[in-house]
């Protein structure tokens, strides 16, 4: 039976969906509509990291109609699109001489340093970032801090073009390459020692399955994800075939917009690994 609380939650989530749809439509390749999108994304980031809002997730699970599950899926899709657009705004502003940073980006950058937990990066590491976006924060951070070579890929041609210009401005000379290419067609995939998936890549677990036969045996995969309330802003963790991948470590970050699951290749003889 639907409760008044469910009606309230449905209203809140529906409002965010409508805002994301409207704000995405306003993007025209300039920064004219950036301030409102930044405000909404910062507000939404605070919403999903606020423990007091966990009742929202509970109400979604109490809903028997499935309406709120659909709302959650819509939020995931439309917020991911808006994050991609906000990265474009940030890139455009930087290239225009404005380097300010929103709360959302500060939240993301504060967790990059420990991305791989106990699997530390060195200057000899070869990193692949899947879903590098228009403002490649992670490749820039890694290359600057460690000297490791980083390749970032994205299916959005505009994001790659802007990302290259950002790297030229902030990291000229760093070993960073950005390309619009599918991971299975990238020769570098075989050499990568560390692979990072953006939390807004919907097909990341399908891609993880594809990666198994084309990566080396020592590769470490950092899968950014969000479960429960955070799944309203990120694609959640899924079960993996433990004959292929082993969940080596989970980095839970209550104050951050996503958590991180670290995978290594499984030894032979594994069994199917259910989602934690």
């Amino acid at each position: 039976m639907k409760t008044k609380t469910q009606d309230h939650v449905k209203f809140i989530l529906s409002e965010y969906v409508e805002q994301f749809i409207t704000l995405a439509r306003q993007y025209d390749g300039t920064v004219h509509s950036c301030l409102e999108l930044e405000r909404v994304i910062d507000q939404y980031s605070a919403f999903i990291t606020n423990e007091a809002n966990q009742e929202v997730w509970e109400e979604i699970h109490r809903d028997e109609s499935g309406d709120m599950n659909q709302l959650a899926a819509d939020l995931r899709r439309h917020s991911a699109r808006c994050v991609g657009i906000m990265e474009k705004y940030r890139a455009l502003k930087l290239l225009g001489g404005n380097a300010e940073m929103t709360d959302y980006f500060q939240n993301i950058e504060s967790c990059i340093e420990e991305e791989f937990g106990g699997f530390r990066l060195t200057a000899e590491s070869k990193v692949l970032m899947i879903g590098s976006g228009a403002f490649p924060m992670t490749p820039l951070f890694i290359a600057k801090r460690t000297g490791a070579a980083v390749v970032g890929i994205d299916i959005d041609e505009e994001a790659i073009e802007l990302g290259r210009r950002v790297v030229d401005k902030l990291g000229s000379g760093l070993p960073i390459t950005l390309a619009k290419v599918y991971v299975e067609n990238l020769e570098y995939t075989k050499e990568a020692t560390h692979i990072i998936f953006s939390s807004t890549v919907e097909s990341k677990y399908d891609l993880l399955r594809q990666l198994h036969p084309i990566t080396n045996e020592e590769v470490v995969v950092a899968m950014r994800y969000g479960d429960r309330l955070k799944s309203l802003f990120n694609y959640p963790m899924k079960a993996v075939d433990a004959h292929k991948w082993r969940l080596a470590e989970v980095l839970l970050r209550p104050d951050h917009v996503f958590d991180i699951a670290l995978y290594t290749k499984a030894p032979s003889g594994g069994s199917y690994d259910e989602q934690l």
Side-chain angles (χ1 to χ4, degrees), residues 159-206:
I160 289 296
E161 193 272 332
L162 285 170
R164 287 171 177 164
R165 292 171 64 191
V166 169
V167 168
D168 285 343
K169 188 174 183 67
L170 297 181
S172 180
L174 291 176
I176 299 173
T177 302
L178 302 178
K180 182 189 176 186
V181 62
Y182 290 99
V183 66
E184 63 269 24
N185 298 328
L186 183 68
E187 191 67 24
Y188 184 82
T189 303
K190 300 174 184 177
E191 307 171 20
T193 59
H194 297 74
I195 298 175
I196 303 171
F197 278 94
S198 167
S199 67
T200 56
V201 174
E202 182 175 6
S203 60
K204 56 193 174 188
Y205 277 94
D206 293 332

Side-chain angles (χ1 to χ4, degrees), residues 76 130-131 183 195-211 221-227 230-231 233-238 240 245 258-261 263:
R76 220 171 278 137
I130 299 176
V183 66
I195 298 175
I196 303 171
F197 278 94
S198 167
S199 67
T200 56
V201 174
E202 182 175 6
S203 60
K204 56 193 174 188
Y205 277 94
D206 293 332
L207 292 173
L208 183 64
R209 285 191 289 273
Q210 293 178 33
L211 281 172
V221 178
M223 186 76 77
R224 296 173 176 178
Y225 75 97
D227 282 345
K230 290 183 182 182
S231 72
F233 203 8
N234 308 274
Y235 289 94
M237 185 189 290
K238 291 185 178 180
V240 297
W245 295 103
F258 58 75
D259 298 313
I260 301 166
Y263 296 94

Side-chain angles (χ1 to χ4, degrees), residues 27-31 83-96 132-137 140 154 156-171 176 178-180:
Y27 177 68
D28 62 359
T30 73
V31 298
V83 165
I85 292 171
M86 194 165 76
E87 289 190 5
K88 292 178 181 181
Y89 282 141
R90 186 184 180 191
L92 289 166
K93 287 199 292 185
L94 173 78
L95 296 169
S132 52
F135 201 103
M137 297 179 289
L140 282 164
D154 205 293
D156 185 331
E157 189 167 353
E158 183 185 20
I160 289 296
E161 193 272 332
L162 285 170
R164 287 171 177 164
R165 292 171 64 191
V166 169
V167 168
D168 285 343
K169 188 174 183 67
L170 297 181
I176 299 173
L178 302 178
K180 182 189 176 186

Side-chain angles (χ1 to χ4, degrees), residues 37-49:
L37 178 58
E38 290 171 354
R39 183 191 67 78
V40 172
I41 290 288
D42 284 349
Q43 181 185 68
Y44 193 56
S45 300
F47 175 80
I48 67 131
T49 55

